[in-house]
Amino acid sequence: LGDPTRDAIWMYRVPSLLCAIGAVLVTWRLGSRMFDPRAAWLGAALLAVCPLVAFDAHQARADQLLLFSVVLTQAALWRVWRARNATWIHAALFWLAISMGVLAKGPIAPMIALLTVLMQCVFTRSWGRLRELRPLLGVVIIAACVGPWVWAVGERVGWSSYWSLIVDETLGRSV
């Protein structure tokens, strides 16, 4: 029990496959909301047959979880800003997807979401729409989802080492 050398590799690959399938389905759903069904099918099909997605879906890595979380973030953002009846649940889905992306690969998902929101505000010349994302709810959700993991890692490796890793590797590489 708990010995990775005795585990079957499929146990580690199934989550990547499920996340790739989820990303394709969310792409289809978002495409059907933004455009017509033909465009949605085309977008989802192109994502499904993309060589990098197909390759990564067979690996035991977090890249497909990142892809799924980014696509889900964009779909939730579309729902919040386009639907006349968007509720706090749609904003919560946006923040949960960002949290999932942070846990998968660090700052990539929040950076993509931030750039999307920033460009939307710049092009529409409306910063008031940010309230629809319910940022306070976002702080609570991200703290609840990511906080325990950050605490556990900081306690395990030491806070100075952890901070150095965040600054050098995560933020440095992202810039």
Side-chain angles (χ1 to χ4, degrees), residues 6-24:
R6 299 184 58 143
D7 291 343
I9 191 66
W10 68 266
M11 297 178 350
Y12 299 101
R13 291 182 175 168
V14 167
S16 292
L17 176 63
L18 293 176
C19 287
I21 292 169
V24 168

Side-chain angles (χ1 to χ4, degrees), residues 129-146:
R129 308 235 22 222
L130 293 175
R131 286 189 304 273
E132 295 175 32
L133 289 174
R134 294 175 167 85
L136 185 58
L137 176 65
V139 169
V140 170
I141 289 174
I142 289 175
C145 293
V146 179

Side-chain angles (χ1 to χ4, degrees), residues 82-150:
R82 285 295 193 195
R84 299 200 190 285
N85 59 351
T87 65
W88 67 270
I89 294 172
H90 299 104
L93 179 61
F94 173 80
W95 294 109
L96 282 169
I98 287 178
S99 297
M100 186 169 50
V102 169
L103 290 172
K105 286 283 195 171
I108 305 299
M111 285 191 322
I112 292 170
L114 177 68
L115 289 172
T116 303
V117 168
L118 181 66
M119 288 298 101
Q120 176 72 15
C121 290
V122 166
F123 287 126
T124 62
R125 296 183 181 144
S126 173
W127 297 90
R129 308 235 22 222
L130 293 175
R131 286 189 304 273
E132 295 175 32
L133 289 174
R134 294 175 167 85
L136 185 58
L137 176 65
V139 169
V140 170
I141 289 174
I142 289 175
C145 293
V146 179
W149 179 79
V150 169

Side-chain angles (χ1 to χ4, degrees), residues 150-164:
V150 169
W151 182 264
V153 171
E155 288 294 310
R156 176 85 171 154
V157 301
W159 290 101
S160 61
S161 297
Y162 186 47
W163 182 250
S164 175

Side-chain angles (χ1 to χ4, degrees), residues 3 6-7 24 26 38-39 48 55 64 71-72 77 97 113 115 118 120 124 161-162 167-168:
D3 182 8
R6 299 184 58 143
D7 291 343
V24 168
V26 174
R38 292 173 299 169
F55 174 77
Q64 294 307 306
V71 173
L72 190 59
L77 181 63
L115 289 172
L118 181 66
Q120 176 72 15
T124 62
S161 297
Y162 186 47
V167 170
D168 296 340

